[in-house]
Structures are given as C-alpha cells and as structure tokens.
Amino acid sequence: MRVLVVEDNHNLVANLFEYFDARGYTLDAAPDGTTGLHLAITTEFDAIVLDWMLPRMDGREVLSRLRDAGRDTPVLMLTARDELPDKIAGFRAGADDYLTKPFHLPELEVRLEALVARARGRGRHKVLQVGDLKLDMGTLEATRAGHALHLYPACRKLLEVLMQASPAAVTRDRLEHALWGDDPPDGDMLRSHIYELRRSVDGPFATKLIQTLPRVGYRIVAGDVATIASEAIE
C-alpha cells in the first residue's frame, strides 16, 4: 500500500516512516500543503494522511482542491483540532476519516486499511469504456481490444478525465488543473503527456480515439464520432 503523508512535523513523519516501512508500506512525504496537493494529483496513492495546519496551504484547502480536481483517493485527516465543528468541517471538505493527535500508530494503521478496503470495493465494478478502450477504476488497469496498456500516473489521470467526459471535449485548462491544480509547471507539459497517452492508446491501433480540437482541448471518441471528428480536424 502506498501512502502520502502531508505533515510538517518532521519527528512525527520519521516515526510514521519507521513504523509503516517495517510493515511493508511505501510512504511518500510532503512538508507543506502546496507540495502535498501536487503529489496527490500527479501520483497514484492508496491513501493520504493529511495534517490540518500546514505551511503554504492548510489541509482543508488541500482536500477541497483535491476533490475539485476529481481525485477520490481516501484521505484521513490527522490533526490536534478535536472540536466537533472542526471534525464536521473536515468531513465536509471531503475527508474520509478523522484522527486527532495524540494517537496510537496501530489505530492509524487499521483506519488506513479500512479506508483502502472500502475504496477498492467502491471501484471494483466501475469500468469506464469508450469503444474497445476500458479503464477499470478499481484496479486502475487500462486495456484496449483486450491488450493491457502501460500508462504513467499522469497519463492514466488524463485518460480518466477524457473518458468520463466522452464524447464531449475537455479544455486544456481543465486537464492541466486535473494534473497540477492551480500550480501548473512551466512549459507545455500537457502536450508531452498527451503525446505519451496517444502512443499507448492509439499508437498500435488503426482507429485513433484521441482527438485534438484546436483552440479548445482534447476529447476521446469512438466509432463514427471519431471518424467525423478526424475529418473535421483535417
């Protein structure tokens, strides 16, 4: 299980790494909210442990932006704020669980296990499909015509957003926000990710599903719609 820890207390982070490493978990850490949001959007995690009081961007804003970007990764808020209004605010921002400091590490572990189990159960039968292209939201496996596609996390996220919107177009701004939130990198990194996505999804196949709409963005379509879109672009 891969877990992102967004926490600025270095001693606490060190304790979490020591405990969970010994149990076979893979942990990544971010010392502030902005870095945490970027990692949470661009990398696939099974769960996120999120502190409330963080430098640069507080945990509740990180969580709201993460949900606005369409990411449903289970989030456990870990904070010293133990008043009922704080807990309600955390859940309303999109938290899946809430644990107050101080806490016991075994309790955090079982809570994370429960969150991940529920999330995998929710997504087990949810499969996005456009033509012969499928994306299983439970396993995160993508296939086309029965062949497995090997996608980087950023490409998989782009594919998810495009397939959910299909056959409608998705603007460049929306795709960039899905990957990087409000802090996109310099240069046209989106074009590079779309290129990699096309190589995997369309490269080996005669029918091309991913279409570029000049000055608008991209869409993924199948069958006659794809043919019409291709002719219009040409």
Side-chain angles (χ1 to χ4, degrees), residues 158-178:
L158 289 176
L159 182 62
E160 176 187 340
V161 174
L162 289 168
M163 292 183 73
Q164 286 178 333
S166 179
V170 182
T171 65
R172 290 179 55 87
D173 287 345
R174 181 180 166 192
L175 291 172
E176 289 179 343
H177 190 272

Side-chain angles (χ1 to χ4, degrees), residues 131-153:
D132 59 355
L133 175 66
K134 295 180 180 181
L135 177 61
D136 188 315
M137 298 303 296
T139 63
L140 299 179
E141 294 176 344
T143 61
R144 183 161 182 196
H147 299 282
L149 304 180
H150 301 286
L151 302 174
Y152 295 113

Side-chain angles (χ1 to χ4, degrees), residues 63 67 72-76 91 94-98 115 118 122:
L63 185 51
R67 298 306 188 222
D72 59 358
T73 309
V75 174
L76 182 147
F91 283 118
D96 298 277
D97 199 358
Y98 196 106
L115 287 180
R118 286 202 297 269
R122 285 198 304 266

